[in-house]
Amino acid sequence: MAYDSSIISIDAARLLDRIEQLGQIGRDGGDRLVRLAGSDEDKRGRDALVSWMKEANLEVAVDKIGNIFGIWRASSEDDQAPVMVGSHIDTVIDAGVYDGCYGVLSGIEVIQTLQAAGFVPSRPIVVAAFTNEEGVRYTPDMMGSLVYAGGLSVEEALSSVGTDGSVLGEELERIGYAGCEEPGFLKPHAYVELHIEQGPVLEKEGIQIGAVENLQGISWQRITIEGVANHAGTTPISMRSDAGYAASRVISFLRDRATSSQTPTVATVGCISFEPNAVNIIPSRAIFTVDLRDPNEHSLQAEEAALAAFLTDLAAAEGVKIATERMARFEPVTFDATIVKIVEAASEQRGLTSKRMTSGAGHDAQMIARICPAAMIFVPSIGGISHNPREFTSGPDLVAGANVLLDVISNLASDHEK
């Protein structure tokens, strides 16, 4: 069933109110939003989400990794592959209220709007909330969608030990979200994820909708440099095996290479620690992370190889030992061209400006793209700020994105898409 998008729109007040309500669940004593996977705060967020799914008359299912699905079936006999929409509701520490949550809640809103309009989908529509997307308490990030897509066994994921010593499987059991469905029990016909951009491009260029056509590859490594601790005042510079200085050389190398590159490569050292970490002692050990990203797999491999060669030369030059540990590695993803075009067409029909773009952040969509056609929709982030309580997207932009999602999902779930 088709409908005129000029007269059908989501309930803006309902969507914005739910975003605000969910954003208050998980506040700590300092009013920080902290809703880590498997925590009591996560349970309260999940409980609210399930209540809204039931309010929308959705069938709720939970799989063994704790992914939550709200399923709208046109009929009890409809066994076609569903159109899936979703994201996640776990957060980082001291988070904003939109990251992930906006996409999940917009999915529910889309279904309720279609139901009220009398729309009868030709295939089921499913809202998914994936477990542990942020990867703060348990690694890897995007865990729930990775397991769902078959990239990680459910047994390995459930045995993950958290930063606090907890075990994910035990925590999911404790909070009541260790489901019985096998991950992957619903294979989607298509998957669409609505998300705030988490970057400054749309706002800076005055564009309302991002039609995300690809997603950067991600390479995470932990590097340990072993030097020799010694007195900071009595050891000549030429006689030092300084792990701290060697680490600084790596940081400078990464920045200089990215700056001079003709590719959109980005490199970040986000965590670093020194031992013994004293003001008057030359560091004997430096441990730090390297985050490399590029939308082209060949370019990403070239950056990894360049870093490896630099580390070999650095170890010899500075008299240190260097070890690397792979933390995570995801290849770049090219999203489905047909869905991207549908996003662009829906934006134009709504009178909204749009542009094709690359996602610099990882998302559940990159995992689900392994098993079905997938794409993403972005809306502007003010100042490009995310993973921060100052994360903000205006109400009109949130509503515009949800309306585009409404049109895309109705298109994908219509008769001509059988």
Side-chain angles (χ1 to χ4, degrees):
M1 173 182 174
Y3 63 89
D4 183 354
S5 66
S6 66
I7 59 173
I8 302 277
S9 294
I10 60 102
D11 185 328
R14 182 169 58 194
L15 173 62
L16 298 178
D17 180 62
R18 285 175 178 170
I19 292 173
E20 177 63 26
Q21 287 186 58
L22 188 54
Q24 295 307 309
I25 296 174
R27 297 282 172 176
D28 65 11
D31 199 37
R32 302 183 309 168
L33 177 57
V34 185
R35 201 165 54 237
L36 306 185
S39 65
D40 291 340
E41 294 76 18
D42 186 28
K43 171 182 167 52
R44 293 196 288 125
R46 287 167 175 265
D47 289 348
L49 178 64
V50 168
S51 72
W52 290 322
M53 287 179 170
K54 291 180 177 178
E55 186 178 317
N57 297 311
L58 304 184
E59 171 191 335
V60 178
V62 182
D63 70 11
K64 291 180 178 179
I65 192 61
N67 298 323
I68 301 173
F69 302 91
I71 306 167
W72 178 30
R73 302 184 192 274
S75 73
S76 60
E77 299 178 357
D78 191 348
D79 60 355
Q80 290 205 73
V83 174
M84 185 177 288
V85 57
S87 193
H88 64 97
I89 67 165
D90 66 307
T91 74
V92 297
I93 297 170
D94 202 13
V97 303
Y98 305 104
D99 180 1
C101 304
Y102 169 52
V104 177
L105 296 178
S106 292
I108 298 174
E109 181 56 44
V110 162
I111 289 176
Q112 288 190 272
T113 300
L114 292 174
Q115 290 171 338
F119 177 86
V120 180
S122 62
R123 58 179 70 249
I125 301 176
V126 176
V127 181
F130 293 105
T131 295
N132 190 43
E133 193 272 353
E134 295 292 6
V136 175
R137 192 180 185 196
Y138 305 97
T139 57
D141 57 347
M142 297 172 284
M143 180 188 284
S145 53
L146 179 62
V147 172
Y148 198 80
L152 179 69
S153 73
V154 66
E155 293 78 16
E156 184 176 352
L158 291 175
S159 65
S160 296
V161 178
T163 55
D164 55 358
S166 62
V167 177
L168 177 58
E170 295 174 0
E171 288 294 87
L172 288 174
E173 187 76 37
R174 183 183 66 83
I175 67 172
Y177 283 92
C180 60
E181 300 288 351
E182 289 293 334
F185 74 104
L186 293 171
K187 183 177 180 181
H189 167 71
Y191 176 83
V192 184
E193 184 166 348
L194 174 63
H195 210 283
I196 59 171
E197 182 193 351
Q198 299 180 282
V201 175
L202 291 175
E203 184 202 15
K204 184 176 181 180
E205 297 185 7
I207 303 293
Q208 294 163 295
I209 298 293
V212 185
E213 60 181 349
N214 58 7
L215 188 147
Q216 293 194 111
I218 301 174
S219 172
W220 283 1
Q221 299 178 60
R222 180 179 292 109
I223 298 176
T224 301
I225 301 179
E226 301 281 356
V228 177
N230 216 329
H231 197 290
T234 63
T235 310
I237 291 293
S238 62
M239 298 181 183
R240 299 184 178 200
S241 295
D242 187 337
Y245 172 68
S248 73
R249 290 276 305 275
V250 178
I251 296 170
S252 295
F253 168 79
L254 291 169
R255 180 58 177 262
D256 292 345
R257 186 173 174 85
T259 300
S260 61
S261 174
Q262 299 303 307
T263 72
T265 298
V266 291
T268 305
V269 172
C271 302
I272 190 166
S273 64
F274 291 158
E275 295 178 13
N277 201 36
V279 66
N280 60 348
I281 302 177
I282 299 166
S284 61
R285 177 180 293 154
I287 303 174
F288 56 98
T289 58
V290 173
D291 178 323
L292 294 172
R293 305 192 189 206
D294 195 284
N296 180 276
E297 175 64 17
H298 178 75
S299 297
L300 185 58
Q301 289 179 7
E303 296 306 314
E304 291 173 315
L307 174 59
F310 179 79
L311 293 176
T312 298
D313 293 342
L314 179 66
E318 295 300 325
V320 295
K321 295 179 180 180
I322 302 179
T324 62
E325 173 193 352
R326 174 77 69 198
M327 298 171 64
R329 180 58 161 85
F330 300 118
E331 293 185 358
V333 173
T334 299
F335 288 127
D336 184 76
T338 299
I339 301 178
V340 173
K341 289 179 182 178
I342 293 172
V343 172
E344 290 177 313
S347 301
E348 182 177 4
Q349 187 175 6
R350 291 274 177 178
L352 303 169
T353 54
S354 68
K355 71 169 291 178
R356 294 194 175 200
M357 60 192 308
T358 296
S359 172
H363 296 285
D364 291 311
Q366 78 187 82
M367 302 306 172
I368 304 304
R370 299 181 179 194
I371 59 173
C372 73
M376 295 188 69
I377 304 168
F378 277 173
V379 294
S381 294
I382 302 303
I385 296 172
S386 187
H387 286 184
N388 184 307
R390 293 189 294 120
E391 174 183 274
F392 182 73
T393 295
S394 72
D397 283 340
L398 294 169
V399 171
N403 279 328
V404 170
L405 180 68
L406 171 70
D407 298 345
V408 171
I409 296 304
S410 67
N411 183 308
L412 293 171
S414 294
D415 289 338
H416 64 84
E417 279 288 323
K418 280 189 176 182

